[in-house]
Amino acid sequence: MARVNRRNFLHLGMAASAAALAPRWVLSQASQTAAPADRVAQMRAAGASTPVKTTKLYDNIWLLQGAGGNMAVQTGKDGNILIDSSFATAVPHIREAISSVSSDAPHALINTHWHVDHVDGNEGMHAAGFKVIAHSKTKTRMSEPAEMKLFHMSLPAYPAGALPSATFDDSMHHEHNGDSIELVHYDPAHTDTDIYIHFHNANVLHCGDIFFNKTYPFIDEGSDGSIGGTISAAQKSLALADDNTKIIPGHGPLGNKADLKKYIDMLSAVRDQVAALKKTGASEQEVLAKKPTADLDADWAHGGSPDMFVGIVYRTS
Ligand SMILES: [Zn+2]
């Protein structure tokens, strides 16, 4: 598959099916009826108008929630570490949120993966003094024009100032602000760029988009994502958690071990049901018609259609 086709923004509510399935906080960012060219502009407009809320998770760690994916900041005399950067237009709100909890210097911005709702603010945060750290493939994907074939939508490559200046393939370790911080690459899951960030002493784990808390996920087939990979990544995360671990999902409310376990059970149930139908020779359309998630939709579909998720499960399993 051509590299350019691997980049996609489906999870941002850019199609009717995606929008129907997307959690409300994502849905609000882009109308499903907008012309494709306007969709990124709409999301950025949401970034401009949505304040970033801070929630204290530990003495020096806060969850930051605004228009894009969930962010976090660790503060202290070694300098502040930010995880993810939402939309470019959210940068003033992110800076304001950080200032409201810390007067320490900027240090590093870590991207959980390459998607626009997690990296679009990189250039602005870099200009504010943060060095950008990410998986090597995040840098690769951000360095190229992004095109979502399905939605006739494209974004140019990010400028040099937005790109990670420090990258890794497997893992990276930081002793910082009194904590031991592990950055570890998942095998391809939501994308092939996903990492987790684990603050050992604080017992806080940011999973990025391998975990959508309380909603069906988007899995980016165009970036080598798959249902099996997502389940494996979620299980790997679960193994790091105890009953007190605060688990930050890429989207949705702050989670814990029980939430992540429920999520894995849901993913596994859908995978198994779709696999059973697929085994009988059913086409994707036939599987969709059988509504294999009917029992789960009340809890996970938020009133929308689960078809996008079922289709992804069908195609990637
Ligand atoms: Zn994502």
Side-chain angles (χ1 to χ4, degrees):
M1 184 183 295
R3 171 74 78 182
V4 76
N5 292 336
R6 296 162 124 192
R7 318 194 79 176
N8 95 42
F9 304 102
L10 190 61
H11 65 311
L12 299 167
M14 291 175 179
S17 58
L21 186 266
R24 278 177 291 263
W25 57 91
V26 175
L27 240 185
S28 63
Q29 292 161 18
S31 155
Q32 53 187 278
T33 56
D38 295 336
R39 287 177 182 142
V40 172
Q42 277 194 342
M43 290 186 292
R44 287 181 175 147
S49 62
T50 308
V52 171
K53 181 183 138 196
T54 61
T55 305
K56 192 169 188 173
L57 304 185
Y58 188 69
D59 295 346
N60 65 337
I61 299 180
W62 282 261
L63 170 64
L64 307 182
Q65 291 174 299
N70 286 329
M71 297 168 280
V73 63
Q74 185 222 37
T75 65
K77 60 179 171 42
D78 296 338
N80 293 339
I81 289 183
L82 174 68
I83 301 174
D84 281 348
S85 64
S86 184
F87 297 110
T89 46
V91 164
H93 297 303
I94 299 168
R95 295 185 65 181
E96 195 183 325
I98 294 172
S99 298
S100 75
V101 299
S102 167
S103 53
D104 298 301
H107 180 69
L109 159 62
I110 301 168
N111 292 135
T112 58
H113 65 298
W114 76 274
H115 282 155
V116 65
D117 51 334
H118 300 259
V119 307
D120 199 50
N122 277 17
E123 189 176 28
M125 297 313 298
H126 179 236
F130 289 82
K131 169 180 88 171
V132 183
I133 301 173
H135 189 262
S136 52
K137 286 187 179 171
T138 292
K139 183 175 184 178
T140 305
R141 291 191 180 282
M142 289 179 68
S143 304
E144 297 166 352
E147 188 163 328
M148 184 54 203
K149 220 173 137 187
L150 194 55
F151 304 113
H152 312 287
M153 195 182 71
S154 61
L155 274 179
Y158 280 97
L163 300 178
S165 59
T167 62
F168 63 95
D169 290 328
D170 299 322
S171 65
M172 194 181 248
H173 181 87
H174 296 268
E175 293 293 325
H176 197 84
N177 290 327
D179 212 328
S180 181
I181 310 170
E182 212 74 59
L183 285 59
V184 179
H185 183 225
Y186 293 107
D187 288 333
H190 167 73
T191 69
D192 58 2
T193 67
D194 307 312
I195 65 166
Y196 68 73
I197 298 95
H198 189 193
F199 298 89
H200 283 262
N201 299 347
N203 202 7
V204 171
L205 177 65
H206 196 317
C207 293
D209 279 4
I210 70 101
F211 182 27
F212 279 53
N213 194 17
K214 304 187 192 299
T215 184
Y216 291 133
F218 167 67
I219 297 169
D220 184 355
E221 299 159 84
S223 295
D224 294 339
S226 70
I227 180 65
T230 300
I231 292 171
S232 297
Q235 284 168 335
K236 185 173 181 174
S237 308
L238 189 71
L240 299 168
D242 62 32
D243 290 341
N244 298 315
T245 307
K246 294 186 166 74
I247 306 179
I248 304 173
H251 297 274
L254 178 69
N256 57 28
K257 190 177 180 180
D259 294 320
L260 184 56
K261 177 78 172 52
K262 262 185 241 168
Y263 180 69
I264 293 169
D265 290 347
M266 178 277 290
L267 295 177
S268 304
V270 176
R271 177 197 56 188
D272 292 350
Q273 291 179 60
V274 170
L277 291 167
K278 209 173 162 179
K279 213 173 161 185
T280 68
S283 68
E284 183 178 333
Q285 284 311 314
E286 287 164 346
V287 170
L288 290 175
K290 287 194 187 302
K291 307 269 176 227
T293 60
D295 293 347
L296 297 163
D297 291 349
D299 288 335
W300 299 92
H302 300 291
S305 163
D307 286 1
M308 183 189 80
F309 177 53
V310 172
I312 291 168
V313 172
Y314 184 93
R315 293 189 299 275
T316 68
S317 60

